[in-house]
Short mmCIF file of all heavy atoms in Angstrom, two decimals:
data_model
loop_
_atom_site.label_atom_id
_atom_site.label_comp_id
_atom_site.label_asym_id
_atom_site.label_seq_id
_atom_site.Cartn_x
_atom_site.Cartn_y
_atom_site.Cartn_z
N VAL A 1478 0.53 8.48 1.33
CA VAL A 1478 0.32 9.86 0.70
C VAL A 1478 1.79 10.49 0.71
O VAL A 1478 2.56 10.58 1.62
CB VAL A 1478 -0.63 10.70 1.60
CG1 VAL A 1478 -0.60 12.06 1.10
CG2 VAL A 1478 -1.97 10.04 1.72
N TYR A 1509 -4.70 21.11 4.00
CA TYR A 1509 -4.76 21.88 5.24
C TYR A 1509 -3.46 22.76 5.35
O TYR A 1509 -2.41 22.50 4.85
CB TYR A 1509 -4.69 20.82 6.53
CG TYR A 1509 -6.00 20.05 6.73
CD1 TYR A 1509 -6.23 18.95 5.94
CD2 TYR A 1509 -6.88 20.57 7.63
CE1 TYR A 1509 -7.39 18.19 6.18
CE2 TYR A 1509 -7.98 19.91 7.86
CZ TYR A 1509 -8.24 18.74 7.17
OH TYR A 1509 -9.46 18.07 7.34
N GLN A 1511 -1.15 24.45 8.34
CA GLN A 1511 -0.96 24.39 9.76
C GLN A 1511 0.15 25.34 10.16
O GLN A 1511 1.35 25.13 9.82
CB GLN A 1511 -0.57 22.86 10.15
CG GLN A 1511 -0.38 22.74 11.74
CD GLN A 1511 -0.10 21.37 12.11
OE1 GLN A 1511 0.26 20.46 11.42
NE2 GLN A 1511 -0.45 21.03 13.42
N GLY A 1514 2.20 25.92 16.12
CA GLY A 1514 1.45 25.87 17.43
C GLY A 1514 -0.10 25.81 17.16
O GLY A 1514 -0.82 25.89 18.17
N ARG A 1531 -15.00 23.95 1.04
CA ARG A 1531 -13.95 24.78 1.22
C ARG A 1531 -13.96 25.55 2.58
O ARG A 1531 -15.06 25.76 3.09
CB ARG A 1531 -14.01 26.00 0.20
CG ARG A 1531 -12.82 26.89 0.06
CD ARG A 1531 -13.05 27.88 -1.05
NE ARG A 1531 -11.82 28.85 -1.17
CZ ARG A 1531 -10.92 28.44 -1.96
NH1 ARG A 1531 -10.94 27.47 -2.89
NH2 ARG A 1531 -9.84 29.28 -2.12
N TYR A 1573 -16.95 13.79 4.57
CA TYR A 1573 -16.18 14.30 5.66
C TYR A 1573 -16.15 13.27 6.81
O TYR A 1573 -15.39 13.52 7.74
CB TYR A 1573 -16.84 15.56 6.17
CG TYR A 1573 -16.70 16.80 5.35
CD1 TYR A 1573 -17.70 17.78 5.29
CD2 TYR A 1573 -15.59 16.94 4.46
CE1 TYR A 1573 -17.63 18.86 4.63
CE2 TYR A 1573 -15.57 18.13 3.69
CZ TYR A 1573 -16.51 19.09 3.72
OH TYR A 1573 -16.45 20.16 2.87
N ASN A 1574 -16.83 12.15 6.62
CA ASN A 1574 -16.81 11.10 7.63
C ASN A 1574 -15.75 10.07 7.56
O ASN A 1574 -15.54 9.26 8.46
CB ASN A 1574 -18.22 10.48 7.67
CG ASN A 1574 -19.32 11.37 8.13
OD1 ASN A 1574 -19.19 12.35 8.81
ND2 ASN A 1574 -20.49 10.98 7.56
N LEU A 1577 -8.89 10.30 7.59
CA LEU A 1577 -7.91 10.91 6.67
C LEU A 1577 -6.59 10.28 6.93
O LEU A 1577 -6.16 9.86 8.02
CB LEU A 1577 -7.72 12.36 7.10
CG LEU A 1577 -9.00 13.31 7.01
CD1 LEU A 1577 -8.68 14.64 7.45
CD2 LEU A 1577 -9.45 13.41 5.59
N PHE A 1579 -2.62 11.20 6.15
CA PHE A 1579 -1.88 12.32 5.90
C PHE A 1579 -0.51 12.13 5.22
O PHE A 1579 0.01 11.06 5.56
CB PHE A 1579 -1.58 13.15 7.16
CG PHE A 1579 -2.82 13.94 7.66
CD1 PHE A 1579 -3.77 13.37 8.52
CD2 PHE A 1579 -3.00 15.23 7.28
CE1 PHE A 1579 -4.88 14.00 8.97
CE2 PHE A 1579 -4.13 15.88 7.66
CZ PHE A 1579 -5.10 15.30 8.37
N ASN A 1581 3.41 13.93 4.80
CA ASN A 1581 4.39 14.62 5.73
C ASN A 1581 4.38 15.95 5.73
O ASN A 1581 5.00 16.66 6.48
CB ASN A 1581 5.84 14.00 5.57
CG ASN A 1581 6.03 12.63 6.01
OD1 ASN A 1581 5.54 12.22 7.18
ND2 ASN A 1581 6.73 11.80 5.35
N LYS B 531 -3.25 22.99 26.16
CA LYS B 531 -2.15 22.90 25.09
C LYS B 531 -1.09 21.81 25.51
O LYS B 531 -0.43 21.20 24.80
CB LYS B 531 -1.46 24.22 24.94
CG LYS B 531 -2.32 25.21 24.18
CD LYS B 531 -1.52 26.35 23.58
CE LYS B 531 -0.80 25.95 22.33
NZ LYS B 531 -1.77 25.79 21.22
N PHE B 556 -13.34 12.45 15.75
CA PHE B 556 -12.03 11.57 15.59
C PHE B 556 -11.02 12.10 16.48
O PHE B 556 -10.92 13.28 17.02
CB PHE B 556 -11.47 11.72 14.21
CG PHE B 556 -12.34 11.48 13.04
CD1 PHE B 556 -13.24 12.44 12.68
CD2 PHE B 556 -12.33 10.25 12.49
CE1 PHE B 556 -14.20 12.21 11.63
CE2 PHE B 556 -13.25 9.96 11.32
CZ PHE B 556 -14.13 10.97 10.95
N TYR B 558 -6.81 12.25 16.33
CA TYR B 558 -5.54 11.96 15.51
C TYR B 558 -4.38 12.25 16.38
O TYR B 558 -4.44 12.97 17.35
CB TYR B 558 -5.47 12.92 14.32
CG TYR B 558 -6.41 12.61 13.18
CD1 TYR B 558 -7.76 12.97 13.24
CD2 TYR B 558 -6.02 11.85 12.17
CE1 TYR B 558 -8.64 12.69 12.26
CE2 TYR B 558 -6.85 11.49 11.08
CZ TYR B 558 -8.21 11.93 11.20
OH TYR B 558 -9.00 11.53 10.10
N ARG B 565 4.13 11.15 10.76
CA ARG B 565 2.99 11.98 10.16
C ARG B 565 1.77 11.83 11.04
O ARG B 565 1.73 10.92 11.96
CB ARG B 565 2.77 11.48 8.82
CG ARG B 565 2.29 10.13 8.59
CD ARG B 565 2.20 9.61 7.20
NE ARG B 565 3.41 9.73 6.41
CZ ARG B 565 3.52 9.58 5.15
NH1 ARG B 565 2.44 9.52 4.45
NH2 ARG B 565 4.67 9.60 4.53
N ARG B 571 -11.92 6.68 16.18
CA ARG B 571 -13.15 7.47 15.74
C ARG B 571 -14.27 6.94 16.57
O ARG B 571 -14.30 5.77 16.86
CB ARG B 571 -13.41 7.32 14.26
CG ARG B 571 -13.52 5.84 13.74
CD ARG B 571 -13.58 5.67 12.32
NE ARG B 571 -14.62 6.34 11.61
CZ ARG B 571 -14.98 6.13 10.36
NH1 ARG B 571 -14.38 5.21 9.71
NH2 ARG B 571 -15.95 6.75 9.82
N TYR B 608 -4.79 15.55 18.40
CA TYR B 608 -5.74 16.49 17.95
C TYR B 608 -7.11 15.78 17.83
O TYR B 608 -7.27 14.63 17.41
CB TYR B 608 -5.36 16.85 16.45
CG TYR B 608 -4.14 17.64 16.27
CD1 TYR B 608 -2.90 17.07 15.99
CD2 TYR B 608 -3.98 19.09 16.44
CE1 TYR B 608 -1.71 17.66 15.82
CE2 TYR B 608 -2.88 19.71 16.33
CZ TYR B 608 -1.82 19.11 15.95
OH TYR B 608 -0.61 19.78 15.81
N ASN B 612 -16.27 16.06 11.77
CA ASN B 612 -16.53 15.87 10.34
C ASN B 612 -17.04 17.13 9.66
O ASN B 612 -17.00 17.18 8.37
CB ASN B 612 -17.54 14.81 10.18
CG ASN B 612 -18.84 15.04 10.85
OD1 ASN B 612 -18.88 15.67 11.88
ND2 ASN B 612 -19.91 14.39 10.36
N LYS B 614 -16.48 20.15 7.83
CA LYS B 614 -15.31 20.71 7.11
C LYS B 614 -14.12 20.18 7.82
O LYS B 614 -13.08 21.01 7.86
CB LYS B 614 -15.50 22.16 7.04
CG LYS B 614 -16.51 22.59 6.12
CD LYS B 614 -16.44 24.06 5.63
CE LYS B 614 -17.62 24.41 4.63
NZ LYS B 614 -17.52 25.80 4.30
N LEU B 615 -14.11 19.01 8.38
CA LEU B 615 -12.89 18.46 8.78
C LEU B 615 -12.10 19.33 9.80
O LEU B 615 -10.83 19.58 9.58
CB LEU B 615 -12.02 17.96 7.64
CG LEU B 615 -12.61 17.11 6.54
CD1 LEU B 615 -11.83 16.88 5.36
CD2 LEU B 615 -12.99 15.71 7.17
N GLY B 618 -8.94 20.73 16.42
CA GLY B 618 -8.61 21.44 17.42
C GLY B 618 -7.25 21.90 17.37
O GLY B 618 -6.51 21.50 16.51
#
Side-chain angles (χ1 to χ4, degrees):
Chain A
V1478 177
Y1509 286 84
Q1511 186 172 22
R1531 189 178 184 94
Y1573 290 149
N1574 293 335
L1577 301 171
F1579 283 88
N1581 282 322
Chain B
K531 283 201 85 69
F556 306 84
Y558 285 83
R565 62 186 65 191
R571 53 192 300 197
Y608 293 96
N612 58 336
K614 291 195 174 178
L615 305 171

